[in-house]
């Protein structure tokens, strides 16, 4: 017999070898169980799977056997014995009912675990299918939304391209009209220079011909008309330059918007065609938390719509300005041409009047020259008559002088004496009359000579005026630009 308090040495009391694996390894699922169990402290001792430590602790008893065995004393000092062989005979054993209940409990736990596992597998399979379908539907919806977005971008891009083409065409048309306006404005400078040259040349008229006639009035009106046309042209030219700047600004906004649309279209089209098997698909951690958007669909569409509306407004204003410039070119060309024709008509009438006056002066000058010749001949005849009368006067006076020498009573106032006295008086009166007539003739001759000088001067003035109007002015006005050049086509 063994002593009380000694350690049991029966073979059944030895601990069962610890299994290498807690659960049997399944080759097809070994990797799926790796590192999948939650970390928690097990209530059962792995060294004694058939006797839980809880039961062991409940059934343990520590009687006071210190006087009998030193080993029991050491066992009382250590609450946990590392080996079964160290336990004493005073430890309580399980009953068979405990053993059966433990087995039943294990069976129930096994069934429950397997049931839960099977339920988990079924739920997991169904969850995987549901999530797979949900993920596919979500991806399909996202792909559809991307496709709709691509279509929206394509629609607005086509609208921008259409409006951009229209704006470029309108800008080119306005540029052509602007160039025509500049050419027409340049042509008016030559026309204005001609009108001013005509006024300058007409200032060289002399004497009485330096008059403010109808030609000068129409020339001044022509200068005012050209200046007024130039002012209107310059005003419309400034408007055209400003409108071209506005058109280019709208065009720039459209081109910038189109460039952004093309980039967005390329990116969204690439995203729309991305699939799970596409290249370049990778993880971008945290990208879903980054919100770099700056607009919503309403503001996005309104931005492009505002750009198109602005372009359409500028294009309408450009078309209206282009029509105004076209009308202005036609109106100014007609005004300048009408005034040009009026000036030419006045020049023609004035030249005709000057030529007629010149012809009449020449005719009067010829008559004056003839009269001068006749007057000179008359003066010569008067002088000859006076000279002839001196001989008669000398004879009569000589007779009277000789008769004064008659002696005494012979100095008789006879008829001969009276007649000689009367003869002297008559001849003297005749001479005085002829001399007065000679002076009158000489005065008349001087008057005729003065008239001749006046007529010759006036003839020179008319010839100068005629030369200025006909040769100087009208020769310059022959090179007046055509209507096509006045409207800027050439």
């Amino acid at each position: 017999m063994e002593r009380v308090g000694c350690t049991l040495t029966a073979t059944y009391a030895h601990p069962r070898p610890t299994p290498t694996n807690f659960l049997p390894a399944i080759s097809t699922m070994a990797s799926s169980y790796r590192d999948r169990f939650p970390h928690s402290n097990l209530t059962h001792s792995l060294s004694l799977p058939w006797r839980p430590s809880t039961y062991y602790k409940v059934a343990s008893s520590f009687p006071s056997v210190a006087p009998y065995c030193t080993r029991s004393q050491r066992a009382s000092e250590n609450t946990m014995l590392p080996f079964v062989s160290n336990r004493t005979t005073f430890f309580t054993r399980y009953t068979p009912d405990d053993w059966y209940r433990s087995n039943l409990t294990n069976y129930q736990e096994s069934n429950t675990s397997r049931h839960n596992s099977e339920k988990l597998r079924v739920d997991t399979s169904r969850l995987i299918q549901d999530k797979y379908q949900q993920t596919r539907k979500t991806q399909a919806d996202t792909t559809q939304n991307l496709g709709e977005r691509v279509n929206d971008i394509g629609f607005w891009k086509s609208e921008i391209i259409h409006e951009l083409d229209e704006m470029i065409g309108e800008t080119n048309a306005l540029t052509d009209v602007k160039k025509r306006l500049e050419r027409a404005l340049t042509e008016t400078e030559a026309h204005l220079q001609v009108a001013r040259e005509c006024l300058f040349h007409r200032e060289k008229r002399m004497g009485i011909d330096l008059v403010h006639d109808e030609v000068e009035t129409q020339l001044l009106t022509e200068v005012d008309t050209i200046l007024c046309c130039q002012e209107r042209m310059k005003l419309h030219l400034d408007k055209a330059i400003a409108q071209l700047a506005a058109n280019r600004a709208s065009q720039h906004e459209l081109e910038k918007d189109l460039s952004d649309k093309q980039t967005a279209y390329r990116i969204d089209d690439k995203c729309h065609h991305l699939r799970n098997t596409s290249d370049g698909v990778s993880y971008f951690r945290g990208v879903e938390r980054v919100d770099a958007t700056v607009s919503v669909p309403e503001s996005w569409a309104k931005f492009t719509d505002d750009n198109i509306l602005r372009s359409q407004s500028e294009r309408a204003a450009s078309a209206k300005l282009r029509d105004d410039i076209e009308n202005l070119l036609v109106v100014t060309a007609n005004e300048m041409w009408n005034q040009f024709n009026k000036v030419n008509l006045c020049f023609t009438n004035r030249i005709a009047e000057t030529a007629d006056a010149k012809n009449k002066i020449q005719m009067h000058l010829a008559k004056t020259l003839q009269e001068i010749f006749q007057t000179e001949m008359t003066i010569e005849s008067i002088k000859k008559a006076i000279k002839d009368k001196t001989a008669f006067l000398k004879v009569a006076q000589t007779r009277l002088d000789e008769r004064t020498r008659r002696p005494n009573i012979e100095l008789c106032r006879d008829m001969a004496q009276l007649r000689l006295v009367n003869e002297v008086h008559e001849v003297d009166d005749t001479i005085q009359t002829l001399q007065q007539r000679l002076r009158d003739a000489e005065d008349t001759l001087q008057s005729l000579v003065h008239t001749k000088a006046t007529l010759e001067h006036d003839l020179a003035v008319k010839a100068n005026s005629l030369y200025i109007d006909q040769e100087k002015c009208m020769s310059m006005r022959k090179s007046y630009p055509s209507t096509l050049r006045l409207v800027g086509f050439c």
Side-chain angles (χ1 to χ4, degrees):
M1 293 181 63
E2 296 180 356
R3 290 178 301 177
V4 176
C6 295
T7 304
L8 296 177
T9 58
T11 58
Y12 65 84
H14 289 281
R16 186 175 298 176
T18 303
T20 58
N21 293 320
F22 179 70
L23 293 175
I26 301 174
S27 61
T28 58
M29 300 180 64
S31 61
S32 64
Y33 285 93
R34 187 176 302 166
D35 299 331
R36 298 304 183 192
F37 294 102
H39 176 75
S40 62
N41 295 325
L42 298 176
T43 58
H44 298 79
S45 175
L46 297 178
S47 61
L48 296 173
W50 57 277
R51 180 176 289 183
S53 61
T54 54
Y55 299 158
Y56 177 80
K57 291 178 180 179
V58 171
S60 63
S61 175
F62 299 97
S64 179
V65 289
Y68 298 99
C69 184
T70 60
R71 293 184 180 179
S72 64
Q73 185 178 359
R74 289 192 299 268
S76 64
E77 294 174 357
N78 298 321
T79 59
M80 293 297 293
L81 296 178
F83 299 101
V84 177
S85 61
N86 293 330
R87 293 195 298 269
T88 64
T89 58
F90 294 99
F91 288 102
T92 306
R93 300 292 187 269
Y94 291 113
T95 63
D97 292 335
D98 293 335
W99 184 80
Y100 284 112
R101 282 195 300 273
S102 176
N103 290 335
L104 290 175
T105 301
N106 290 334
Y107 299 154
Q108 291 176 357
E109 289 180 356
S110 176
N111 291 330
T112 302
S113 299
R114 284 186 288 105
H115 177 72
N116 292 334
S117 177
E118 182 179 359
K119 182 180 178 182
L120 178 64
R121 284 188 294 103
V122 173
D123 292 342
T124 301
S125 177
R126 184 169 57 251
L127 177 65
I128 291 173
Q129 292 296 325
D130 292 342
K131 294 301 180 181
Y132 177 73
Q133 295 298 330
Q134 181 181 357
T135 304
R136 284 180 58 88
K137 184 178 182 302
T138 302
Q139 189 181 63
D141 293 341
T142 304
T143 303
Q144 182 180 359
N145 291 335
L146 285 173
E148 293 175 356
R149 182 64 176 176
V150 169
N151 292 333
D152 292 342
I153 295 175
F155 168 76
W156 285 112
K157 187 174 71 170
S158 63
E159 292 293 322
I160 292 175
I161 291 174
H162 175 72
E163 181 59 31
L164 187 60
D165 293 338
E166 294 291 332
M167 175 56 75
I168 291 174
E170 179 60 34
T171 302
N172 293 333
L174 183 59
T175 302
D176 294 338
V177 173
K178 172 179 166 290
K179 291 179 179 179
R180 284 177 50 199
L181 182 60
E182 290 175 346
R183 287 195 295 265
L185 184 60
T186 304
E187 290 295 333
T188 57
E189 288 295 333
H191 183 27
L192 180 62
Q193 186 65 25
V194 167
R196 287 176 173 173
E197 285 289 331
C198 289
L199 288 172
F200 175 75
H201 286 300
R202 284 178 63 83
E203 289 296 323
K204 297 179 182 178
R205 292 175 297 169
M206 299 180 298
I208 192 62
D209 276 16
L210 193 61
V211 297
H212 184 68
D213 54 2
E214 185 66 21
V215 176
E216 187 171 356
T217 302
Q218 294 299 328
L219 278 174
L220 292 174
T221 304
E222 185 178 22
V223 171
D224 293 337
T225 301
I226 297 173
L227 291 176
C228 180
C229 293
Q230 285 182 345
E231 288 296 326
R232 286 184 287 172
M233 288 181 179
K234 290 178 181 178
L235 179 62
H236 282 74
L237 184 60
D238 294 337
K239 290 182 179 179
I241 293 173
Q243 186 62 49
L244 283 175
N247 287 358
R248 292 191 181 97
S250 298
Q251 179 180 343
H252 175 72
E253 292 297 329
L254 289 176
E255 289 174 348
K256 183 180 178 181
D257 196 4
L258 178 61
S259 177
D260 295 343
K261 289 288 186 297
Q262 289 174 343
T263 303
Y265 184 87
R266 184 174 63 254
I267 292 173
D268 285 350
D269 186 65
K270 178 182 177 181
C271 295
H272 178 252
H273 289 89
L274 276 179
R275 297 296 182 266
N276 296 335
T277 57
S278 300
D279 296 335
V281 177
S282 180
Y283 287 109
F284 295 91
R285 298 296 183 184
V287 70
E288 68 277 0
R289 292 190 296 272
V290 177
D291 188 5
T293 58
V294 296
S295 64
V296 295
E298 291 77 12
S299 62
W300 173 80
K302 186 177 183 299
F303 177 78
T304 303
D305 189 56
D306 290 342
N307 287 336
I308 293 176
L309 290 177
R310 176 189 175 189
S311 177
Q312 289 176 348
S313 176
E314 296 295 343
R315 186 157 53 85
S318 177
K320 183 179 182 302
L321 178 61
R322 186 159 47 84
D323 293 337
D324 293 342
I325 292 175
E326 292 279 358
N327 295 331
L328 175 67
L329 289 174
V330 174
V331 170
T332 53
N334 291 333
E335 289 180 359
M336 288 186 288
W337 257 112
N338 293 334
Q339 188 60 33
F340 173 77
N341 292 329
K342 288 181 180 179
V343 174
N344 287 349
L345 180 61
C346 291
F347 262 115
T348 303
N349 295 334
R350 187 60 179 173
I351 288 171
E353 291 176 357
T354 305
D356 183 64
K358 179 183 175 184
N359 293 332
K360 290 180 179 180
I361 289 172
Q362 287 177 342
M363 181 182 65
H364 283 279
L365 181 59
K367 292 180 178 180
T368 301
L369 290 175
Q370 182 66 28
E371 189 61 30
I372 288 173
F373 175 74
Q374 295 293 335
T375 303
E376 288 177 348
M377 294 299 295
T378 301
I379 290 173
E380 291 296 328
S381 63
I382 292 172
K383 287 181 179 180
K384 184 178 181 300
I386 292 173
K387 185 178 180 181
D388 292 340
K389 295 300 183 291
T390 57
F392 290 98
L393 181 60
K394 289 178 181 180
V395 171
Q397 288 181 352
T398 301
R399 285 177 178 175
L400 285 174
D401 183 70
E402 287 294 332
R403 292 196 72 181
T404 59
R405 293 182 179 94
R406 291 177 298 171
N408 300 318
I409 196 68
E410 293 299 326
L411 290 172
C412 179
R413 189 185 297 268
D414 52 7
M415 186 59 68
Q417 183 68 26
L418 294 174
R419 190 59 184 166
L420 284 174
V421 173
N422 291 330
E423 183 183 4
V424 169
H425 286 295
E426 288 178 1
V427 172
D428 187 60
D429 291 339
T430 300
I431 291 175
Q432 293 297 326
T433 301
L434 291 175
Q435 288 178 348
Q436 182 62 40
R437 184 56 55 87
L438 178 60
R439 287 191 296 270
D440 293 340
E442 289 176 348
D443 292 339
T444 302
L445 180 60
Q446 292 297 323
S447 177
L448 290 172
V449 170
H450 179 72
T451 302
K452 170 181 169 290
T454 302
L455 291 174
E456 288 176 346
H457 176 73
D458 201 10
L459 184 63
V461 169
K462 295 298 185 290
N464 179 67
S465 299
L466 195 62
Y467 173 76
I468 290 173
D469 289 345
Q470 191 170 14
E471 299 297 331
K472 289 286 188 179
C473 297
M474 291 304 292
S475 62
M476 286 191 302
R477 298 181 71 83
K478 290 179 182 178
S479 60
Y480 191 78
S482 62
T483 305
L484 290 177
R485 299 187 63 170
L486 287 177
V487 295
F489 279 113
C490 298

